[in-house]
Amino acid sequence: GAGVSQSPSNKVTEKGKDVELRCDPISGHTALYWYRQSLGQGLEFLIYFQGNSAPDKSGLPSDRFSAERTGGSVSTLTIQRTQQEDSAVYLCASSPRGSGGNNEQFFGPGTRLTVL
Amino acid sequence: QQQVKQSPQSLIVQKGGIPIINCAYENTAFDYFPWYQQFPGKGPALLIAIRPDVSEKKEGRFTISFNKSAKQFSLHIMDSQPGDSATYFCAASAGRGNKLTFGTGTQLKVEL
């Protein structure tokens, strides 16, 4: 079956511009996560959506970052007024999070963002 | 504050060797400890995971050893192969389905 997909795969933008990154989770997965992976670093949690609950935004690094999830499926991560330090690979993951299931998060291939 | 510390940063072993990657955590609320494997240009993929009620879990050539009192866990890869060359991340979460806190990764190279 189809895995998590993300678009675009690469995005180059100029400092100060806004960008939108898209994530299509695995069908039926109720949980969706965004992480950021900077060069040579581990993955840093950004935001987590679970069903209709209020999202966990505790990882967003500044108010320039926001995300939404429409209809419990597709999610968009928006970065306003991009800065060079925002350059990273942005990874999306989804999880079924069933009551008897585990916490396996299935990751997409990521969007590589470069801010010039 | 880095809550999961991973070492070594990089590792080179010969084919057939047993690379060991170590992680230590601080948050005693963590109760789920997965290992992810990542190839260049790809997203991480779950390799194996353990919960703190067991001290060891084995799946194929991959084994997790877990020491709850020391707050440490490690990944062993038996009979390593060149195809195992990848970056490995340990992670931890508190509560099922919750956000993962990742280590900084170990770049493994298995040489012929």
Side-chain angles (χ1 to χ4, degrees):
Chain A
V4 177
S5 60
Q6 293 186 245
S7 60
S9 56
N10 281 284
K11 176 72 177 178
V12 179
T13 190
E14 294 180 347
K15 178 182 173 182
K17 295 288 180 69
D18 297 351
V19 296
E20 287 189 350
L21 312 180
R22 177 187 168 104
C23 171
D24 285 85
I26 294 172
S27 178
H29 281 193
T30 60
L32 187 146
Y33 313 77
W34 283 98
Y35 295 86
R36 176 169 71 175
Q37 185 173 27
S38 302
L39 186 63
Q41 299 296 312
L43 284 75
E44 171 192 15
F45 167 77
L46 297 176
I47 188 169
Y48 159 49
F49 296 90
Q50 171 55 42
N52 295 320
S53 302
D56 177 353
K57 304 179 182 180
S58 60
L60 295 179
S62 78
D63 58 8
R64 296 186 295 104
F65 288 72
S66 63
E68 62 178 21
R69 188 178 185 191
T70 54
S73 180
V74 172
S75 177
T76 302
L77 177 69
T78 300
I79 308 174
Q80 296 179 311
R81 305 180 302 282
T82 53
Q83 304 295 312
Q84 289 183 332
E85 61 261 30
D86 299 335
S87 296
V89 175
Y90 290 81
L91 290 157
C92 175
S94 70
S95 171
R97 205 193 174 190
S99 60
N102 57 33
N103 188 30
E104 180 169 1
Q105 295 181 25
F106 295 82
F107 283 81
T111 293
R112 181 175 296 278
L113 174 66
T114 303
V115 182
L116 301 177
Chain B
Q1 180 186 5
Q2 183 185 355
Q3 294 190 58
V4 179
K5 294 183 178 180
Q6 182 171 349
S7 63
Q9 186 175 4
S10 63
L11 188 56
I12 300 174
V13 299
Q14 297 297 309
K15 178 177 180 287
I18 306 176
I20 301 173
I21 305 171
N22 300 297
C23 285
Y25 63 97
E26 300 167 5
N27 188 346
T28 55
F30 286 152
D31 62 356
Y32 175 74
F33 303 89
W35 284 89
Y36 281 82
Q37 179 188 57
Q38 185 178 30
F39 293 103
K42 304 290 187 183
L46 180 69
L47 199 57
I48 185 172
I50 198 168
R51 296 200 179 273
D53 52 343
V54 297
S55 60
E56 185 176 280
K57 183 174 181 180
K58 184 178 296 186
E59 288 186 2
R61 296 184 295 107
F62 301 94
T63 299
I64 298 179
S65 296
F66 186 82
N67 185 329
K68 187 175 181 179
S69 61
K71 292 186 287 186
Q72 296 175 347
F73 57 111
S74 60
L75 175 71
H76 301 229
I77 305 175
M78 305 302 176
D79 187 28
S80 58
Q81 301 296 313
D84 296 330
S85 298
T87 300
Y88 292 82
F89 292 96
C90 62
S93 71
R96 185 173 294 171
N98 286 340
K99 61 192 179 188
L100 290 168
T101 299
F102 282 85
T104 50
T106 296
Q107 195 164 9
L108 171 66
K109 183 176 182 181
V110 181
E111 296 181 333
L112 289 169

